[in-house]
Amino acid sequence: SVDSTIKVWDYQGKVILDPAVCVQTLYGHAGTITALVILGDYLISSSTDGAIKVWRQEEGRGQLVYPWMELQVRGR
């Protein structure tokens, strides 16, 4: 998005009241998000701030409905 955040949405309709619910917002960039790639448990993002960030699903949350992403690597 242009507000420098990455939104994780309930795209499978697991939330009964509203299937278009934002379940997590990832903060860490200072510019517009330009690319997202998912590789297994990892999400890699880049932005107009010149940074590449690596996010990983937090361990121990496998039984929950949604994974929880944590920032792992801050790159430039």
Side-chain angles (χ1 to χ4, degrees):
S1 76
V2 296
D3 69 356
S4 74
T5 63
I6 300 168
K7 305 282 189 197
V8 180
W9 294 89
D10 174 14
Y11 68 93
Q12 295 179 341
K14 293 179 182 175
V15 176
I16 295 171
L17 300 177
D18 186 356
V21 173
C22 179
V23 295
Q24 184 179 7
T25 301
L26 305 177
Y27 299 94
H29 282 289
T32 301
I33 306 302
T34 57
L36 292 172
V37 175
I38 296 175
L39 296 169
D41 290 344
Y42 293 91
L43 172 72
I44 301 162
S45 60
S46 67
S47 154
T48 57
D49 63 5
I52 295 172
K53 310 252 184 222
V54 177
W55 311 80
R56 184 167 187 248
Q57 289 185 24
E58 185 178 294
E59 293 182 21
R61 295 178 62 102
Q63 298 299 317
L64 299 178
V65 175
Y66 304 105
W68 192 260
M69 305 301 287
E70 294 286 334
L71 183 59
Q72 299 295 305
V73 177
R74 300 167 197 251
R76 266 234 183 268

